[in-house]
Amino acid sequence: MTQSTPVRVGVLALQGDTREHLAALREAGAEASTVRRASELDAVDALIIPGGESTTMSHLLREFELLEPLRTRLADGMPAYGSCAGMILLATEILDAGAEGREAVPLGGIDMTVRRNAFGRQVDSFEGDIDFDGLDGPAHAVFIRAPWVERVGPDVQVLARAGEHIVAVRQGQVLATAFHPEMTGDRRVHKLFVDVVARRA
Ligand code: GLN
């Protein structure tokens, strides 16, 4: 691929902070579009699952008949990045997944166990600078009723921790952060993801 052909990255737009990710992706050099239906998922090289509410997004994924198409794309190796609720959905196992019948559903993009609202039980939201493997200097991390990662599989790389808790991970072409880089002006995490997609495209 040439520099003049930008990668096409979708943002799942059923619920959550879609707009911030679209803006961040464009600033990171990608062509960005919303994904609400299977045909829109088919048209992108990669997908961001935004922050929001993972239980509601799970419900809407079923309603919009996107759950199985998305699982299939991930199983086929589509690059993906999930922030906060998106991290929860990308897991293989979710703890405290929500009320019965309304649980957040794991899509299985990263071999990890994530605890939903983990920090939320201690403090609803907080921010701070954390070291992030692969970035030149710390990232400012905003946590909002954020999950943390309690277990990672052998192929998962830990990219960042807040205290002892794992808050950013990567497995192959799939990234996840418990925090929201799209809410800061810092585009380095989105650039990192766009580079992952470009190298694969
Ligand atoms: N607590 C939310 C959930 O369970 C995540 C919060 C967020 O995305 N900022 O999905």
Side-chain angles (χ1 to χ4, degrees), residues 50-55 83-86 88 116-117 144-147 180:
E53 178 46 60
S54 52
T55 55
S83 64
C84 203
I88 296 168
R116 193 172 147 266
N117 294 342
I144 304 166
R145 286 173 61 76
H180 294 270

Side-chain angles (χ1 to χ4, degrees), residues 86-103:
M87 168 185 254
I88 296 168
L89 294 175
L90 283 173
T92 42
E93 187 186 14
I94 303 169
L95 305 176
D96 290 342
E100 220 182 300
R102 295 288 295 192
E103 294 102 335

Side-chain angles (χ1 to χ4, degrees), residues 7 28 188-201:
V7 292
R188 288 176 300 162
V189 174
H190 287 79
K191 284 208 176 87
L192 181 76
F193 180 54
V194 169
D195 282 350
V196 167
V197 183
R199 248 175 266 132
R200 188 173 183 277

Side-chain angles (χ1 to χ4, degrees), residues 18-63:
T18 307
R19 269 197 317 178
E20 291 81 354
H21 280 290
L22 289 169
L25 279 170
R26 286 173 188 141
E27 284 173 34
E31 205 172 86
S33 58
T34 54
V35 169
R36 286 193 192 86
R37 57 189 74 209
S39 59
E40 291 167 340
L41 180 62
D42 290 343
V44 294
D45 303 315
L47 186 73
I48 286 186
I49 306 179
E53 178 46 60
S54 52
T55 55
T56 305
M57 268 191 247
S58 297
H59 172 70
L60 293 172
L61 279 171
R62 285 207 183 87
E63 290 284 298

Side-chain angles (χ1 to χ4, degrees), residues 72 76 118 148 181 193 200:
T72 304
D76 289 347
W148 65 48
F193 180 54
R200 188 173 183 277

